[in-house]
Amino acid sequence: MHDAAALREVLPRAVPRRAISNVGHHTLSVRNLSFAIDGHKILKNISFDLPGDELTVLMGPNGAGKSVLLRLLHGLIAPSNGTILWNGEPIDRSIRKIQAMVFQKPVLLRRSVLSNLRFVMGLRGLAKSRSELQPILKRLHLEALADRPARLLSGGEQQRLALARALALKPKILFLDEPCANLDPASVQLIEDTIKQEKVQGTKIILVTHDILQARRLAEQLVFLHRGEVAEITPADIFFDAPTSKEARAYLDGRILI
Ligand SMILES: Nc1ncnc2c1ncn2[C@@H]1O[C@H](COP(=O)(O)OP(=O)(O)O)[C@@H](O)[C@H]1O
Ligand SMILES: [Mg+2]
């Protein structure tokens, strides 16, 4: 992908201000959110509140609309209808600056590991020297790879770089779209530990995963999406033992609902 195209992927657009609702502090909310493309309804009138102090895991079968929902929340695509709110305020350019996202397929620039970090930070006015970036490289075990071309890293290394780049922006809201898919156990552990630290530091995390054990380890709130609709939103400790929707029960049992 060309650098400019890659950049569009990592830099959300601001959306126009719309109605203000009365949601509490540090809550990511959507109201009547819909997304359609070519007349095909991908997300259908979704509303929910995701508390800032709970790690939200978003689950659902392939094609349910999880990635589209994250892209909408991150402002990469505009909804057909509805509103996205942070602390009751429509998300605008200032709030977009406190968000970051790790994509299902890492979007990396044709540059070194280090300049991938610096480039995105520079765009947010957070220019950093090499030594200032050492801690974040170290945190994701990337120090030895700092000068390697990012596109030549292994899948797991690319995922770690994508997470490092997101964290370098010091986000207050972090979207993670299957960040551990296809990773070895040590990389999964490193990423999960990093996610937990980030959560302890007060970052609102929304994680998409198909890994039920990972979801059990990390989730506090579970949102289950099915065919573009929210089938249920449940505290995680209840969800895995007693999901309320037949869609989630089938998913957890490994069945497909016809
Ligand atoms: N840009 C697009 N154009 C047309 N259809 C799309 C587009 N993006 C996603 N879709 C469709 O929307 C549905 C949800 O996709 P996605 O959010 O990627 O699912 P998942 O839950 O697996 O992440 C799928 O049926 C997918 O084919
Ligand atoms: Mg997806």
Side-chain angles (χ1 to χ4, degrees):
M1 195 188 304
H2 187 268
D3 273 8
L7 263 185
R8 275 198 295 281
E9 297 285 305
V10 293
L11 287 180
R13 297 180 279 155
V15 294
R17 291 194 147 248
R18 275 176 243 182
I20 292 179
S21 93
N22 53 352
V23 183
H25 242 51
H26 296 302
T27 304
L28 182 65
S29 311
V30 306
R31 294 286 176 269
N32 307 114
L33 191 72
S34 298
F35 182 76
I37 204 157
D38 301 333
H40 177 54
K41 289 182 184 159
I42 293 172
L43 293 175
K44 302 164 193 168
N45 205 33
I46 288 178
S47 298
F48 56 59
D49 295 315
L50 311 180
D53 58 352
E54 287 179 19
L55 195 150
T56 301
V57 167
L58 178 58
M59 298 189 96
N62 292 132
K66 305 179 296 297
S67 294
V68 168
L69 179 56
L70 285 200
R71 282 171 179 272
L72 281 167
L73 294 175
H74 193 39
L76 296 166
I77 49 177
S80 311
N81 256 306
T83 321
I84 302 165
L85 306 145
W86 174 242
N87 301 337
E89 297 277 334
I91 290 203
D92 64 7
R93 196 180 294 273
S94 66
I95 297 171
R96 293 290 180 220
K97 282 190 183 158
I98 61 163
Q99 299 183 168
M101 179 155 168
V102 171
F103 295 86
Q104 202 168 339
K105 290 183 194 131
V107 182
L108 300 173
L109 305 181
R110 212 178 296 282
R111 299 169 178 223
S112 73
V113 166
L114 193 67
S115 39
N116 262 272
L117 287 178
R118 291 169 100 169
F119 192 73
V120 171
M121 295 184 80
L123 291 167
R124 294 263 181 109
L126 300 167
K128 288 278 185 230
S129 69
R130 189 185 185 97
S131 60
E132 285 172 307
L133 286 169
Q134 276 304 324
I136 187 74
L137 288 169
K138 195 168 173 202
R139 196 169 167 201
L140 285 150
H141 299 186
L142 292 165
E143 303 132 288
L145 304 173
D147 297 309
R148 296 259 292 273
R151 300 277 181 95
L152 300 185
L153 300 180
S154 75
E157 291 162 348
Q158 291 197 4
Q159 281 294 35
R160 290 193 336 252
L161 173 56
L163 182 57
R165 190 177 58 183
L167 295 180
L169 299 172
K170 298 214 184 304
K172 292 196 168 64
I173 311 170
L174 177 60
F175 302 105
L176 302 170
D177 198 351
E178 302 192 35
C180 297
N182 306 314
L183 299 194
D184 65 39
S187 300
V188 172
Q189 174 100 47
L190 176 63
I191 290 186
E192 286 189 9
D193 288 347
T194 309
I195 291 172
K196 284 188 221 158
Q197 290 158 8
E198 211 43 38
K199 136 94 197 165
V200 168
Q201 286 166 22
T203 307
K204 168 65 193 168
I205 293 165
I206 299 106
L207 167 74
V208 173
T209 182
H210 284 295
D211 181 340
I212 293 169
L213 295 176
Q214 176 171 70
R216 274 182 181 266
R217 287 192 292 271
L218 296 177
E220 292 167 302
Q221 180 191 41
L222 212 301
V223 177
F224 191 82
L225 208 61
H226 188 261
R227 293 195 187 149
E229 291 178 280
V230 174
E232 71 174 280
I233 299 189
T234 317
D237 48 355
I238 296 173
F239 179 84
F240 294 105
D241 296 328
T244 54
S245 63
K246 63 180 188 307
E247 293 87 356
R249 275 199 298 277
Y251 177 89
L252 292 173
D253 293 349
R255 288 183 285 118
I256 290 175
L257 273 189
I258 310 294

